[in-house]
Amino acid sequence: MLKKILLGLLVLLLVAQFIRPEKNTAQLASEHDIRVHYNVPGNVLSILKRACYDCHSNNSSYPWYTNIQPIGWWIQHHIDEGKEHFNFSEFGAYSIKKAAHKMEEVAEEVEEGEMPLTNYTWMHADAKLADSEKELIVSWAKDLQHQLETKK
């Protein structure tokens, strides 16, 4: 009986390898990309690309282990959830009020060490933010939030 259960699980695992989520890889930058609508200094952009864009943009990079299911499904779920909360590639489509609130959340999450997620930085050590990088992102986000709030 145990052999049948293990064989059944093995078959399910093998079949799962053929059911893959659609990858989040845009070929071109979106017309709503934050860089199209607002100033993102180069030093801030490089940090955002390294630590945020995999889950918060329309272009994620996928390490080899995302080809193994169910790991790939789990990671794609994280990406979809991250984009639902905040998407740099669609930021220009947000209302001014929503955009200002999102920048407030960016500053808060980074300042409190909530972003990037710890489980992300385990596998992507380069995404860990130094205190100086956190300060840079927080300052930029707060400045952009203030600019947006004056447009209301």
Side-chain angles (χ1 to χ4, degrees):
M1 182 67 169
L2 182 60
K3 283 186 178 182
K4 287 183 181 181
I5 292 172
L6 290 175
L7 183 60
L9 288 174
L10 181 60
V11 168
L12 282 175
L13 189 60
L14 288 173
V15 169
Q17 301 315 303
F18 296 99
I19 305 168
R20 298 179 180 254
E22 186 176 336
K23 301 242 183 205
N24 180 48
T25 52
Q27 298 300 319
L28 301 170
S30 166
E31 67 185 81
H32 301 297
D33 192 281
I34 193 168
R35 296 169 288 177
V36 172
H37 298 272
Y38 304 100
N39 180 39
V40 183
N43 55 350
V44 172
L45 182 61
S46 67
I47 297 167
L48 295 176
K49 283 184 173 182
R50 189 185 83 232
C52 309
Y53 269 46
D54 271 351
C55 296
H56 296 285
S57 79
N58 290 344
N59 201 357
S60 303
S61 61
Y62 289 89
W64 65 269
Y65 52 83
T66 59
N67 292 313
I68 302 169
Q69 306 313 320
I71 296 169
W73 299 335
W74 178 65
I75 290 173
Q76 191 59 49
H77 173 73
H78 271 276
I79 292 169
D80 293 342
E81 198 172 67
K83 285 173 55 178
E84 184 179 308
H85 288 288
F86 184 91
N87 188 339
F88 287 104
S89 299
E90 300 301 326
F91 189 82
Y94 295 165
S95 70
I96 297 294
K97 182 178 179 180
K98 181 178 180 178
H101 179 68
K102 291 297 180 184
M103 281 294 107
E104 178 183 19
E105 287 179 342
V106 167
E108 186 178 292
E109 294 286 319
V110 171
E111 204 165 36
E112 293 176 0
E114 299 293 323
M115 284 288 154
L117 294 174
T118 304
N119 63 6
Y120 181 76
T121 59
W122 287 341
M123 297 300 287
H124 302 88
D126 62 326
K128 286 185 181 179
L129 299 175
D131 288 341
S132 60
E133 293 172 322
K134 289 180 185 179
E135 290 171 10
L136 193 61
I137 292 173
V138 168
S139 175
W140 167 76
K142 286 181 177 180
D143 286 347
L144 184 51
Q145 175 193 356
H146 177 71
Q147 289 173 32
L148 291 163
E149 287 175 340
T150 58
K151 286 184 176 183
K152 287 183 190 177

